Amino acid sequence: MADNFLVGELPGELGDLVGLRILDLSFNLLSGELPDRLGDMRNLERLTLWGNQFEGEIPESLGTLFNLLELSLDLNSFSGPIPGSLGLLSFLEELYLDINNLSGPIPISIGNLPQLRALFLGNNPIGGPFPAAITNLTSLTVLSMPGAFLTGEIPGTFDRMRNLVTLDLAFNQLEGPFPDPLLDLCNL
């Protein structure tokens, strides 16, 4: 049901669709807060809601979607912190939270996602230091965090991220010496 003109709020009854594997409502005109009951959809593998007008905080209950491979909530108006419960999604491969109004810090639990290949957090007023836990994401191929208001030095532990192909940290307030471990990443 992507790329239509659907309007209004998502009904909590969507949580009753426990057998659903893919929910793609991207690029519509949906608004309001996400219902907590989305966390009841235990077989969901892809939740794609980008390009709508959702607002409020991302529900912690999404951290119970243990089969989730892709979570796309980008290009909305979500605010508040990134839920630490997302770090429980051990099968998650792609996480798109960019272009919202999310504030930091980035939860350390994000570093507990062993299968994560793509992480997009840019264009959010996250702020704070670059989270060293992100360098635990050894499967990551894309790390995109431009305009996230990150401060301080880039951690010297990037050499763990051998699969990294794309690194975008533009438009932050990072400082300090160039991290030599980045030179060891031959795929960049």
Side-chain angles (χ1 to χ4, degrees):
M1 297 191 323
D3 202 6
N4 282 289
F5 298 98
L6 301 177
V7 297
E9 298 186 8
L10 288 183
E13 290 78 14
L14 273 175
D16 294 337
L17 303 176
V18 294
L20 193 66
R21 293 185 186 262
I22 298 173
L23 179 59
D24 186 351
L25 296 170
S26 58
F27 206 63
N28 277 288
L29 301 169
L30 297 167
S31 59
E33 296 187 5
L34 293 185
D36 281 332
R37 293 211 40 224
L38 286 180
D40 295 341
M41 303 171 78
R42 302 300 163 110
N43 290 309
L44 206 59
E45 295 175 1
R46 301 203 182 281
L47 178 57
T48 309
L49 302 175
W50 70 271
N52 280 286
Q53 299 165 7
F54 291 114
E55 58 190 12
E57 294 191 3
I58 297 171
E60 287 279 347
S61 64
L62 296 187
T64 63
L65 299 174
F66 299 121
N67 292 311
L68 208 59
L69 302 173
E70 177 186 343
L71 178 58
S72 298
L73 302 178
D74 44 321
L75 199 58
N76 278 288
S77 295
F78 290 112
S79 58
I82 297 169
S85 64
L86 297 184
L88 300 172
L89 303 175
S90 59
F91 294 112
L92 195 65
E93 297 175 354
E94 300 173 50
L95 179 57
Y96 302 92
L97 299 178
D98 48 319
I99 315 173
N100 278 290
N101 196 28
L102 299 170
S103 53
I106 296 169
I108 294 172
S109 62
I110 293 294
N112 298 336
L113 301 172
Q115 306 299 321
L116 198 65
R117 293 185 325 227
L119 178 59
F120 290 80
L121 298 176
N123 297 299
N124 282 297
I126 293 171
F130 186 95
I134 284 181
T135 63
N136 293 335
L137 302 173
T138 56
S139 297
L140 209 61
T141 59
V142 177
L143 176 58
S144 179
M145 299 173 66
F149 297 88
L150 299 175
T151 59
E153 293 188 12
I154 298 172
T157 50
F158 263 92
D159 54 338
R160 297 183 213 164
M161 304 175 78
R162 296 268 178 219
N163 295 310
L164 201 59
V165 174
T166 302
L167 174 63
D168 187 354
L169 299 175
F171 306 108
N172 283 293
Q173 289 113 28
L174 298 168
E175 57 189 18
F178 185 85
D180 288 338
L182 286 178
L183 300 173
D184 296 332
L185 300 178
C186 57
N187 293 324
L188 271 182

